[in-house]
Amino acid sequence: MSLKFDFSNLFEPNISGGLTDEDVKSVEEKVTSAVRNFVENTPDFAKLDRSWIDSVKSLEDWIINFDTVVVLGIGGSGLGNLALHYSLRPLNWNEMTREERNGYARVFVVDNVDPDLMSSVLDRIDPKTTLFNVISKSGSTAEVMATYSIARGILEAYGLDPREHILITTDPEKGFLRKLVKEEGFRSLEVPPGVGGRFSVLTPVGLLSAMAEGIDIDELHEGAKDAFEKSMKENILENPAAMIALTHYLYLNKGKSISVMMAYSNRMIYLMDWYRQLWAESLGKRYNLKGEEVFTGQTPVKALGATDQHSQIQLYNEGPNDKVITFLRVENFDREIVIPETGRAELSYLARKNLSELLLAEQTGTEEALRENNRPNMRVTFDRLTPYNVGQFFAYYEAATAFMGYLLEINPFDQPGVELGKKITFALMGREGYTYEIKER
C-alpha cells in the first residue's frame, strides 16, 4: 500500500497561528514552477535507470557465495545502506544463522573511522566468507580509503585474493578507485555521475547490499517510481512532495527553523538519519543562486517514539515554538506481542492488548498534545515496512528536497560547506598538495 500523508495539523484551525489558504496561495505559483522545473529538468536520481538494477543483478551469482557483506562508505554511501538494512530486515538479522536468513547475507556498514566500530565488525566476520563493498563516488574519500586499506590488508594476511573479496562502487571514469579497477581487475559498479551521494540510495550504492540480504530491489524501485510520478503533478494537493516543501518553506518563513522527524518504530532509526543528511546538506546554504548571503536552511532533528517522549517532548510542547514535527507511523508490525494478564487491577488497562496498540496510542497521544499546544506537526503513515513504501519514502523526500531548494533559491545539489574541513584533514594527515596551519588557542 502507498504511504499516507496527513498535513491537517499544519493548518488553522487545528493549529492557532498555523498555515492558512492565503499562505498557500501566496507561494502556490512558485511551487508549481518548481514542479514544472522538476519535470522539464528531471534530476538523474529521479530517472531510476533500469541499468542500475541490471548491473547489480549481474553480480548475483557471485554475491550469493558470501555470508557477509561489509559496506565501507560514509555519508550518502553509508546512510542509504543503513536505512535499507534496518527498515527492511529484522533488527536481529545479523545475529541469525545463514539458514534462518534463507541463505542471504548479513550486512554491516562501517560508516566512520572510529577504531572501536571497525574492530567490532572485524571481530564478527570471517574474511573467507566476506565481501567488502568499497563505496566512494570521488574515489578518494579519506575515510573510505582508510577502511579499504585495512580490509585489503586483512584479506592479504589471510592469503586471500582481494579481487575475489572486494567490490568497488565508484565513478565510471575517474578517481583512484576507478584507476584501481582498471589496473588490478576488481569487479565494480558505477555511481551515476549526475547523482550526489545523499541522493544515491536507489542506485547501485544502496541496491547491492539490499539484494545481498534478500530485499526486493525491483519492488523498491517500483515504489520510488510511483512517488516520483506523483511528485510531477502540478496540483499540489495530489503531490505530497510539493506539500512537504511548501509547508516547510512557509513555516521556515514563520521562524520554524527546526524540522523534527519522530518515528514510532525502531526499524526507522536510519530512515531518519538518511533524512537528516538529505535535508541538512542540501538546504543549509550560505549563498543563494544570485551569490547573495542568505544563511538559510532548517536544522533536522530525529526523535524515536515512544523513547523520546521521555527526553524531548517536554521541550517540543512547552519550549520555543520553532519546530515543525513529522511523525512516521507504522500501522502493522511484522511481529506482535500480547501483554499478559497480571492479576493486578492497576495494570488491567494493558492486559491482553497488543504491544503495538500501546506504541500507536503513544503516537496519537503525542500528536494530539502537540496540536493542543499549537505546535505544527504532520504524519506519514506506512501500512507496513515494505520495499515498495520505503522506496516511496526515499523518492518523496528527495523530490521535496529539490522543491525546497527551488523555493529557497539555492542549489540543493552541492555541499561547499563540507570541502574546507576535508582539505584541512588532508593537510593534517600529510597528503601531498595540502597545507594548513592550526591557529594557537
Side-chain angles (χ1 to χ4, degrees):
M1 294 179 65
S2 295
L3 298 184
K4 295 179 181 179
F5 294 82
D6 187 340
F7 298 97
S8 58
N9 279 350
L10 297 175
F11 289 86
E12 291 189 342
N14 287 7
I15 300 293
S16 178
L19 302 180
T20 64
D21 289 342
E22 289 71 27
D23 290 328
V24 173
K25 289 176 182 177
S26 71
V27 295
E28 191 169 8
E29 185 176 335
K30 195 171 182 179
V31 175
T32 301
S33 180
V35 173
R36 288 174 184 158
N37 182 64
F38 191 78
V39 173
E40 294 169 6
N41 304 286
T42 304
D44 286 354
F45 65 76
K47 294 177 181 177
L48 297 177
D49 194 319
R50 177 67 204 187
S51 68
W52 299 346
I53 289 179
D54 291 342
S55 65
V56 169
K57 286 192 172 183
S58 71
L59 299 174
E60 191 168 10
D61 289 343
W62 179 52
I63 300 298
I64 199 66
N65 295 313
F66 295 100
D67 176 69
T68 305
V69 172
V70 178
V71 175
L72 305 179
I74 197 167
S77 298
L79 284 173
N81 288 279
L82 284 163
L84 287 165
H85 173 70
Y86 276 86
S87 64
L88 295 173
R89 295 292 83 181
L91 291 173
N92 61 339
W93 178 261
N94 286 344
E95 282 69 56
M96 292 180 177
T97 65
R98 189 169 176 85
E99 183 179 6
E100 290 171 328
R101 289 181 268 118
N102 295 318
Y104 291 112
R106 301 184 300 167
V107 170
F108 296 95
V109 181
V110 178
D111 66 336
N112 202 356
V113 286
D114 180 340
D116 286 335
L117 171 65
M118 185 76 183
S119 298
S120 69
V121 172
L122 295 176
D123 287 344
R124 299 170 68 186
I125 67 170
D126 179 355
K128 300 183 186 68
T129 58
T130 298
L131 172 70
F132 293 94
N133 185 12
V134 183
I135 307 176
S136 169
K137 183 178 181 180
S138 69
S140 62
T141 309
E143 297 90 345
V144 180
M145 294 304 97
T147 52
Y148 154 75
S149 300
I150 293 168
R152 181 166 185 158
I154 288 172
L155 292 170
E156 290 174 344
Y158 272 77
L160 300 170
D161 183 351
R163 292 172 299 179
E164 294 302 317
H165 290 267
I166 290 177
L167 171 67
I168 292 176
T169 305
T170 191
D171 185 274
E173 298 293 336
K174 58 188 179 182
F176 169 72
L177 287 178
R178 182 52 61 185
K179 179 181 178 182
L180 207 60
V181 169
K182 293 176 180 177
E183 292 182 356
E184 299 195 31
F186 285 99
R187 292 177 178 86
S188 70
L189 292 169
E190 296 180 358
V191 182
V195 180
R198 58 189 177 275
F199 293 90
S200 67
V201 62
L202 297 170
T203 76
V205 169
L207 297 178
L208 187 283
S209 71
M211 182 189 73
E213 58 182 344
I215 294 170
D216 189 332
I217 59 178
D218 287 290
E219 187 181 332
L220 191 68
H221 261 216
E222 283 302 309
K225 181 181 178 182
D226 173 66
F228 280 134
E229 287 175 354
K230 288 184 173 64
S231 299
M232 294 183 182
K233 293 188 175 185
E234 291 188 16
N235 183 344
I236 60 175
L237 297 180
E238 299 177 357
N239 187 332
M243 280 295 291
I244 292 167
L246 178 153
T247 53
H248 281 69
Y249 173 74
L250 288 172
Y251 269 117
L252 180 59
N253 289 341
K254 288 176 176 282
K256 305 291 192 290
S257 61
I258 298 172
S259 170
V260 177
M261 184 169 280
M262 188 167 190
Y264 279 72
S265 165
N266 280 62
R267 288 171 59 188
M268 289 182 168
I269 284 177
Y270 281 100
L271 283 179
M272 295 189 293
D273 279 351
W274 174 86
Y275 164 74
R276 284 195 308 175
Q277 184 202 12
L278 184 72
W279 208 247
E281 198 165 64
S282 299
L283 304 176
K285 298 295 163 65
R286 178 174 180 173
Y287 299 103
N288 64 15
L289 295 173
K290 299 176 183 177
E292 301 165 333
E293 283 191 337
V294 290
F295 296 104
T296 194
Q298 271 183 326
T299 300
V301 174
K302 77 171 181 180
L304 178 66
T307 304
D308 287 321
Q309 290 174 204
H310 300 269
S311 67
Q312 298 180 35
I313 289 300
Q314 173 63 35
L315 174 69
Y316 298 166
N317 268 319
E318 297 189 359
N321 194 354
D322 56 358
K323 303 166 191 71
V324 180
I325 297 170
T326 299
F327 290 104
L328 304 184
R329 175 184 173 105
V330 181
E331 292 290 349
N332 298 286
F333 291 77
D334 285 356
R335 302 179 71 179
E336 192 54 87
I337 296 178
V338 178
I339 304 170
E341 172 68 65
T342 65
R344 296 298 302 247
E346 298 92 335
L347 301 180
S348 62
Y349 74 99
L350 295 172
R352 297 179 298 281
K353 302 283 180 60
N354 289 336
L355 199 58
S356 65
E357 289 182 69
L358 175 58
L359 183 62
L360 295 179
E362 301 253 21
Q363 188 276 314
T364 301
T366 304
E367 182 179 75
E368 186 66 7
L370 287 166
R371 186 195 62 76
E372 289 205 8
N373 283 296
N374 293 309
R375 306 302 166 112
N377 63 87
M378 59 170 281
R379 186 192 330 132
V380 183
T381 301
F382 294 67
D383 173 60
R384 61 176 63 249
L385 287 171
T386 67
Y388 188 88
N389 57 33
V390 168
Q392 285 191 313
F393 178 84
F394 288 137
Y396 277 131
Y397 273 93
E398 287 179 351
T401 300
F403 296 153
M404 189 71 164
Y406 188 94
L407 295 174
L408 293 172
E409 299 180 8
I410 54 95
N411 181 359
F413 305 119
D414 66 358
Q415 54 278 336
V418 179
E419 299 308 312
L420 179 57
K422 289 182 179 178
K423 292 175 182 177
I424 295 172
T425 299
F426 286 149
L428 294 175
M429 294 301 292
R431 183 173 179 177
E432 185 177 353
Y434 292 85
T435 60
Y436 189 85
E437 184 177 344
I438 299 291
K439 295 180 181 179
E440 292 186 8
R441 301 181 182 181

